[in-house]
Amino acid sequence: MLRIPPALSRGLFIFALVAVFWLALQPAPDVVQIVSWQDKIEHAVLFAVLMMLGSLAWPDRMAQVVLGLLAYGAAMEVAQSFTDYRFGDLWDWIADAIGLLLAAIPARLLASRFSAQAVKAPGTAGARNQA
C-alpha cells in the first residue's frame, strides 16, 4: 500500500489550510444553489477533508488536530467579519465542527492504518531490534 511521507502529508495539510483561508477571505463566487443549507454542507465537507489530511499529517495527535481545526474555523469566521463582502457566521462554524466529528472516526482509522504501516516498514527501530 502507498505510504505518504510525513513531510509530504504535513506540507499538503498546511498548504490546504493556507489556501482555504485565503479563499474564505475572497468575495464569494456566484454558485447555483441546489439545496437549502448548501453552504453549511460545503463547510462540513471541507472540514471533513481537512480532518482527513490532518490525521495523515499527525496520526498520533488527533485531539490536537481537532482542536486546532476548531480554532482555525473560528478564526476564519472572525476574519470574514472584517471584510465588506463576507460575514462571520456561527452556523458556519457549527457546520465545520459537524464535519470534523463526521470525519473523526474514519480519520482515526486511516491514521492508525498509516502509522501501523510505518511500524511494520523495513528499516524501522522495531525491525532492527528483532535482527
Side-chain angles (χ1 to χ4, degrees):
M1 175 170 255
L2 176 68
R3 178 158 152 38
I4 301 171
L8 178 60
S9 61
R10 290 175 182 167
L12 288 172
F13 180 65
I14 291 168
F15 174 79
L17 291 176
V18 171
V20 166
F21 206 91
W22 181 78
L23 289 170
L25 294 178
Q26 301 306 305
D30 291 331
V31 294
V32 176
Q33 186 170 356
I34 299 169
V35 296
S36 63
W37 293 76
Q38 181 170 320
D39 175 55
K40 306 313 176 231
I41 293 168
E42 291 168 356
H43 273 264
V45 169
L46 173 66
F47 272 76
V49 170
L50 288 174
M51 180 67 201
M52 298 301 277
L53 288 173
S55 73
L56 289 174
W58 288 279
D60 55 339
R61 296 191 173 148
M62 297 293 286
Q64 290 92 336
V65 171
V66 169
L67 292 174
L69 285 172
L70 284 172
Y72 170 82
M76 189 182 322
E77 295 306 320
V78 169
Q80 285 179 339
S81 70
F82 287 104
T83 67
D84 293 333
Y85 41 84
R86 294 276 191 143
F87 61 93
D89 185 3
L90 176 63
W91 291 107
D92 284 350
W93 184 78
I94 291 171
D96 299 343
I98 290 170
L100 290 173
L101 291 175
L102 291 175
I105 292 173
R108 184 67 194 142
L109 293 172
L110 182 67
S112 65
R113 183 173 195 161
F114 275 96
S115 36
Q117 285 180 340
V119 170
K120 292 178 188 175
T124 62
R128 283 191 297 268
N129 290 339
Q130 293 176 354

